[in-house]
Amino acid sequence: MSKPAVNSFFVGRALAEGLYEQLGNSLTNALSELGKFDAEQKEHLRSFTQQVMERAAQEVATVVGDSNFPSNSEPVDLQATIDELRAEVAELRSELQKYRNRTV
């Protein structure tokens, strides 16, 4: 085997190893960046969720003073609340029907 052929073989082999290392480094960096991005997005989502919950808690605190809204210490009878809402809806429908009959 001639010396140029042997040199070409080792150059090709070194080139392949170098490309393999570069590809490995690039893949590692890409996965690292993806992991960072994922962690940042999770943190942003957690932060946003916390802000939403804090706003909701503030609004609840302002509404709890309203007499129509039961406080946390009073048990809530859901069936009674549903019945009251149904009665209000029926009353509004009745008023709406009266209004429509007057305009026709």
Side-chain angles (χ1 to χ4, degrees):
M1 195 178 270
S2 69
K3 189 171 182 172
V6 173
N7 284 342
S8 296
F9 170 77
F10 284 110
V11 168
R13 182 173 159 184
L15 178 64
E17 288 176 355
L19 289 174
Y20 182 75
E21 288 174 7
Q22 288 292 330
L23 179 64
N25 289 339
S26 296
L27 182 60
T28 301
N29 289 339
L31 290 175
S32 174
E33 291 298 319
L34 181 63
K36 287 179 191 176
F37 176 77
D38 183 49
E40 288 172 357
Q41 292 305 311
K42 285 181 181 178
E43 178 59 27
H44 289 303
L45 180 61
R46 186 199 62 75
S47 175
F48 177 71
T49 304
Q50 184 178 4
Q51 289 174 358
V52 168
M53 295 305 290
E54 287 173 0
R55 284 183 184 178
Q58 288 174 353
E59 289 189 26
V60 166
T62 59
V63 172
V64 166
D66 188 359
S67 62
N68 295 328
F69 194 83
S71 67
N72 292 339
S73 62
E74 300 174 12
V76 177
D77 184 4
L78 292 179
Q79 188 60 49
T81 304
I82 291 171
D83 291 341
E84 289 173 13
L85 290 173
R86 285 181 178 159
E88 288 180 22
V89 168
E91 182 180 347
L92 290 172
R93 283 184 180 168
S94 172
E95 291 297 321
L96 183 61
Q97 189 62 37
K98 288 178 188 176
Y99 176 78
R100 286 180 181 164
N101 288 338
R102 276 188 295 192
T103 59
V104 172

